[in-house]
Amino acid sequence: MTKGKVLIIGSNATRIEVQGGGTGATGQYLNETVVPALALIEAGYEVVLATPNGTQPHIDEASDSADHFGGDVAAYERARTFFYTDPAMTKVRTLRSVIAEGLDAYAGVFVPGGQGPVVDLMQDADTGEILRHFHDRQKPTALLCHGPVAVVSAMSNARDFRAALIDSDTPKAAELAKGWPYAGYRMTVFSNSEEKVVEDHILHAKLYFNMVDALNTAGAEVITTATDFEPNVIVDRELITGQNPRSDHPIAKAFVTALDLSLVAA
């Protein structure tokens, strides 16, 4: 017996649009996926990984390193083995099948980062339906690094909102965001200065929009650290957000605590 099931929403994106045309390689971060997943399992929860098309997320090569595990090679190798061989990570569901089965079966939902969610999850209708379900029931909802931008999908016009951001039409995007369920929520996300590091040293190109600007335009109150890559977790009602890859362990701890408290309250 487990304490309950937790849904992990993964991205299927492998490329992200960059200014000037073309795309850059992207995906999902290994540590941001595995560290919280293992923490959930160790706390007594069952994790279910689902993506828009039902295939396993692509791990961004930039995250496939012991550097994201504090230089701990053993922890890094354990993470890779878990992601690529454990049924919790390899038996991937479609988001639609999870919805059809019934979301009430899940105690909470988690969205890891990497830039992948910026491409697909933030404008994915199934992701939006899932997040609205958990929001309406005030069930623990955790999102890490770029993952918090997925809450945009809870808008009725998420695809048009994203398109307006790409067109730099902030007034149109703000108008499209009216009625967004997370308006007024305090949250964090990968900061603009952190994104510049990725643009300069990994993508070698500039994105069309930053995550902080996107969420502020949507109506969120975004809080980021003064120092880049310093762990940061913000909790507001059911929503738990982490700023960057180094927030993996802190958000896992906060999420498990919220799930346990939710069980007690039930």
Side-chain angles (χ1 to χ4, degrees):
M1 290 292 291
T2 67
K3 291 179 180 177
K5 292 195 295 186
V6 175
L7 178 62
I8 299 178
I9 300 179
S11 167
N12 289 129
T14 61
R15 310 290 300 180
I16 188 167
E17 311 98 321
V18 295
Q19 291 187 26
T23 61
T26 195
Q28 191 165 297
Y29 262 43
L30 178 64
N31 68 302
E32 296 178 17
T33 306
V34 171
V35 168
L38 286 175
L40 289 164
I41 292 168
E42 289 164 6
Y45 293 92
E46 174 189 354
V47 299
V48 175
L49 176 60
T51 64
N53 69 20
T55 63
Q56 193 178 43
H58 169 72
I59 294 299
D60 191 325
E61 290 183 8
S63 75
D64 196 0
S65 165
D67 291 345
H68 288 286
F69 295 84
D72 187 335
V73 175
Y76 162 62
E77 291 178 347
R78 180 191 179 203
R80 290 190 96 259
T81 298
F82 174 73
F83 183 79
Y84 289 111
T85 67
D86 195 285
M89 296 286 102
T90 60
K91 292 187 176 180
V92 186
R93 305 276 303 276
T94 64
L95 296 177
R96 179 42 51 184
S97 73
V98 169
I99 293 169
E101 179 185 65
L103 295 173
D104 285 332
Y106 293 86
V109 61
F110 171 63
V111 182
Q115 291 169 327
V118 185
V119 180
D120 56 1
L121 300 186
M122 76 176 290
Q123 57 179 340
D124 179 71
D126 290 338
T127 300
E129 183 175 344
I130 291 167
L131 291 177
R132 286 192 298 271
H133 174 94
F134 284 89
H135 168 75
D136 290 345
R137 290 156 183 79
Q138 293 289 288
K139 284 188 172 183
T141 301
L143 310 97
L144 177 58
C145 197
H146 288 80
V149 81
V151 295
V152 164
S153 67
M155 293 180 191
S156 58
N157 301 300
R159 188 171 295 274
D160 293 337
F161 176 86
R162 185 178 187 275
L165 293 176
I166 290 175
D167 290 339
S168 298
D169 192 341
T170 302
K172 180 179 179 181
E175 181 66 26
L176 289 166
K178 287 184 177 178
W180 184 48
Y182 296 100
Y185 270 67
R186 296 169 65 250
M187 61 183 75
T188 192
V189 71
F190 204 59
S191 73
N192 292 357
S193 53
E194 289 169 339
E195 196 75 80
K196 189 175 188 304
V197 174
V198 174
E199 291 172 334
D200 290 349
H201 299 286
I202 298 176
L203 280 177
H204 304 291
K206 187 169 178 57
L207 298 178
Y208 279 101
F209 59 88
N210 289 311
M211 306 310 107
V212 172
D213 302 336
L215 292 175
N216 277 331
T217 298
E221 181 185 344
V222 182
I223 302 162
T224 57
T225 59
T227 303
D228 287 347
F229 301 104
E230 179 180 321
N232 180 32
V233 172
I234 301 292
V235 180
D236 187 351
R237 287 158 279 187
E238 86 280 6
L239 192 68
I240 306 160
T241 50
Q243 180 173 325
N244 48 41
R246 290 188 60 210
S247 304
D248 54 357
H249 286 282
I251 199 172
K253 182 178 180 181
F255 189 34
V256 167
T257 297
L259 289 165
D260 287 347
L261 289 173
S262 183
L263 282 178
V264 171

